[in-house]
Amino acid sequence: MTLHRCTTPFTRVLRFAYFASLIALLVACASPAPSAPAFAPFVLVTQDPNASPTPTPFQPSGAIDSVIPSFTPEPPTATPTLTQTAIPASSTPTTVSAATVAPPPSAGTASRTNYILYATLDFTAHTLDVEETVRYYNNTGIALSDIVLSIQPNLYGNAFLLNSITQDNTALTTYTLDGQRLTLNLSQPLQPNSATTLNLKFNLNIPAKSSGEIFGYDFNQINLVDWYPFVVPYINGWVLHDPSSFGEHLVYDASDVELNLKTDSGVVVAASAPSEQNGDWTRYRLYGARTFALSASNEFLVSESTVGSVVIRSYYFDGYQAANDGFLVIAGEAVSTFEANFAPYPYQSLAIVQADIHDGQEYDGLVMLATDFYAQYSGGARNNLATIGVHEIAHQWWYGLVGSDQAIEPWLDEALSTYSERIFYENNYPGNISWWWQFRVDFFKPAGFVDMPVYNAGSQRQYVNAVYLNGAHFIDELRERVGYGNFAKFLKTYAERYSRGHATPENFFALLRETINIDISDLTARYFSTQY
């Protein structure tokens, strides 16, 4: 578990010692908002703040370095432009002009659910006042008598207060809010291929962030993840799984999000999309995403780079500039590598956020990385900041672009994202491939069926070993069996066919048989509990 970063050197030393012991344990085992204007639809996927972060396990820095000779990588072929921007407390976040950002190719898809939010964040009081408009399109093929929304903040005591709901400008009183589930009972069925507009007004009393949590505040940072009500997918019924003690339980449709935000002067906001001014509001627009995440701090420093048209902006704290600068280069290499091997980067920007969390966590257009990784960093690409940071960036494709059921079929995004680390190293630091296998995967002696749901594992270690690490071995053997060129073609086709949609294991293997006619039944028999 990541320590809260403190401003005093003595406290930092104590916290670092405390966190080191935990690493060892891991290795061993309020005015109403104005009416929201209409805006063109978008598409995307979300993550669970309630459960523990995606367990991307790490070990003490250097544990394998004593075995594998050190390797000095060659300079990258295309080093991103790096600019250092120390933002004083009185300044406002850097903005990107909308005119400089190429519109996403999928913008304007009329049948995607879209969300427009006007939110006022009181950073000091830890409150958020929100008016949310949801335009929901019934693409289920059947008439709906109810609509189910996920409300993750309602799992945190008195964090969520619902003030009102309307449907098509008429007050809606026939609803139930039970834990994470808000069920709206419609007065008339919503017919297939029709749409309805929901308006919700609510307040968040942002909770103090406890150990293992991401959602909430600590002494210098507020993380807002899975913070607004969203309509869950309808796949033979509304899909809203129970929370799990580890892994993620949420499933998301792709959607378009517009957030208009006000907050205190001097607060810097890291967000899933670039910012632009909209009158008195700062506006963020995200197309084709699963969710929209924010992190706000009055101590953030910011630096940025660009890879093609993608702006990568890194938010970090004083004392961690060397780690920030080193990883910003690696992040640019990762985006470039994955664009070449998978598909164009799905969003307009990428925010990298230092946070006091366990390890790493992905959201659309934003990743969070543990402060401890920054503290461990001593240069190069042989470290947790590099491996896990690259893993979370890979999730922009395997979770964001291609959605899946994170609770029942987590290997589809986690095994692919873990193996994407290997693809990153072979393209940028090929001398580190053996180190990566030993440090990241084989050190933990992976075993277990790759298709393990989050609910079937007896421990987080067992879950990670099966889904992430044995999953990486399965994909590596698959790649060797079918050939590197064929596998690259398969991944690109997979990303294109299921872009902004949901993929299942049946889809994965059917496409594999379609694109590569080869028998892999012995592989699936060894690695999977179910034969596809």
Side-chain angles (χ1 to χ4, degrees):
M1 180 174 302
T2 306
L3 299 172
H4 294 303
R5 194 181 66 81
C6 186
T7 55
T8 64
F10 178 70
T11 309
R12 285 178 183 156
V13 170
L14 290 178
R15 287 179 170 174
F16 183 81
Y18 172 68
F19 193 83
S21 68
L22 292 181
I23 296 173
L25 288 174
L26 281 174
V27 174
C29 56
S31 297
S35 298
F39 87 109
F42 306 149
V43 180
L44 226 168
V45 180
T46 317
Q47 195 93 17
D48 173 19
N50 172 60
S52 298
T54 300
T56 45
F58 55 91
Q59 60 191 80
S61 178
I64 302 298
D65 281 331
S66 60
V67 179
I68 305 298
S70 61
F71 171 71
T72 303
E74 296 179 358
T77 56
T79 302
T81 303
L82 175 65
T83 58
Q84 194 71 30
T85 308
I87 299 186
S90 60
S91 69
T92 56
T94 304
T95 61
V96 177
S97 169
T100 66
V101 179
S106 60
T109 301
S111 62
R112 250 185 343 234
T113 298
N114 63 71
Y115 301 84
I116 302 175
L117 303 107
Y118 281 78
T120 301
L121 172 65
D122 188 323
F123 183 82
T124 303
H126 311 128
T127 62
L128 191 72
D129 299 328
V130 185
E131 179 176 351
E132 175 180 8
T133 300
V134 182
R135 184 66 173 170
Y136 176 72
Y137 296 84
N138 182 4
N139 299 317
T140 66
I142 64 171
L144 298 173
S145 60
D146 60 12
I147 296 176
V148 173
L149 294 89
S150 163
I151 309 221
Q152 296 304 299
N154 202 48
L155 296 171
Y156 296 83
N158 299 317
F160 182 81
L161 175 62
L162 180 61
N163 298 315
S164 66
I165 308 178
T166 66
Q167 181 190 6
D168 298 327
N169 297 317
T170 300
L172 187 62
T173 57
T174 54
Y175 64 86
T176 57
L177 177 56
D178 182 12
Q180 64 175 340
R181 187 183 188 97
L182 174 62
T183 303
L184 308 181
N185 302 114
L186 307 181
S187 58
Q188 294 183 348
L190 182 63
Q191 298 301 319
N193 303 315
S194 60
T196 190
T197 299
L198 308 173
N199 181 273
L200 300 87
K201 295 181 180 179
F202 62 93
N203 303 106
L204 292 184
N205 295 308
I206 303 167
K209 187 168 68 63
S210 60
S211 297
E213 299 287 355
I214 297 177
F215 176 72
Y217 73 87
D218 57 22
F219 76 99
N220 70 343
Q221 188 173 20
I222 291 176
N223 296 326
L224 295 175
V225 296
D226 288 332
W227 56 276
Y228 57 89
F230 68 91
V231 181
V232 301
Y234 189 97
I235 307 172
N236 299 318
W238 297 105
V239 181
L240 182 55
H241 300 304
D242 291 335
S244 170
S245 58
F246 45 82
E248 288 82 50
H249 73 277
L250 294 173
V251 184
Y252 313 89
D253 281 330
S255 63
D256 301 323
V257 184
E258 175 180 312
L259 169 65
N260 295 274
L261 181 69
K262 285 182 181 178
T263 190
D264 311 57
S265 174
V267 173
V268 177
V269 176
S272 288
S275 64
E276 56 183 297
Q277 287 308 119
N278 183 24
D280 294 334
W281 303 82
T282 300
R283 179 168 60 195
Y284 307 85
R285 293 189 284 190
L286 184 63
Y287 299 86
R290 312 295 170 173
T291 191
F292 193 106
L294 298 171
S295 184
S297 177
N298 55 6
E299 295 187 18
F300 272 148
L301 303 175
V302 185
S303 59
E304 70 177 43
S305 67
T306 57
V307 176
S309 62
V310 180
V311 177
I312 305 175
R313 191 166 286 117
S314 182
Y315 299 80
Y316 67 102
F317 295 111
D318 185 30
Y320 299 96
Q321 180 177 334
N324 169 82
D325 292 354
F327 183 68
L328 193 55
V329 172
I330 289 173
E333 294 168 343
V335 169
S336 180
T337 297
F338 297 153
E339 282 198 316
N341 285 273
F342 308 151
Y345 180 72
Y347 315 111
Q348 297 168 307
S349 62
L350 172 64
I352 300 165
V353 182
Q354 179 182 347
D356 289 329
I357 61 176
H358 272 302
D359 40 62
Q361 188 69 29
E362 77 276 6
Y363 304 94
D364 300 276
L366 183 149
V367 301
M368 294 187 183
L369 297 171
T371 290
D372 189 70
F373 297 159
Y374 288 75
Q376 292 174 357
Y377 182 80
S378 59
R382 291 189 176 198
N383 50 71
N384 292 314
L385 186 60
T387 57
I388 297 179
V390 168
H391 178 102
E392 307 308 341
I393 291 173
H395 272 302
Q396 304 303 305
W397 286 264
W398 317 127
Y399 148 83
L401 181 64
V402 178
S404 56
D405 190 321
Q406 299 183 106
I408 306 304
E409 299 153 353
W411 73 271
L412 281 173
D413 71 292
E414 295 299 356
L416 276 174
S417 292
T418 303
Y419 194 74
S420 294
E421 300 170 34
R422 195 251 195 240
I423 293 174
F424 165 81
Y425 277 99
E426 73 185 40
N427 279 274
N428 298 278
Y429 306 96
N432 288 356
I433 294 175
S434 294
W435 169 88
W436 177 83
W437 278 113
Q438 294 185 58
F439 176 84
R440 183 73 166 101
V441 181
D442 293 336
F443 177 89
F444 298 97
K445 298 179 174 59
F449 287 125
V450 173
D451 55 343
M452 178 184 293
V454 298
Y455 308 107
N456 287 18
S459 67
Q460 178 172 302
R461 178 78 271 147
Q462 182 186 20
Y463 167 67
V464 172
N465 276 5
V467 173
Y468 289 65
L469 308 185
N470 220 24
H473 273 295
F474 162 69
I475 295 176
D476 190 60
E477 286 197 48
L478 175 64
R479 190 183 185 204
E480 292 286 346
R481 176 76 61 87
V482 304
Y484 278 34
N486 285 335
F487 186 77
K489 177 184 177 182
F490 163 74
L491 279 187
K492 289 184 177 182
T493 305
Y494 179 72
E496 179 181 7
R497 181 168 299 184
Y498 297 104
S499 172
R500 265 71 187 203
H502 295 107
T504 66
E506 290 80 4
N507 297 146
F508 182 93
F509 287 107
L511 180 61
L512 190 64
R513 288 189 291 269
E514 175 187 325
T515 55
I516 309 167
N517 185 19
I518 189 171
D519 182 18
I520 59 166
S521 57
D522 60 318
L523 288 183
T524 56
R526 281 193 286 117
Y527 283 102
F528 288 82
S529 63
T530 301
Q531 295 306 295
Y532 298 100

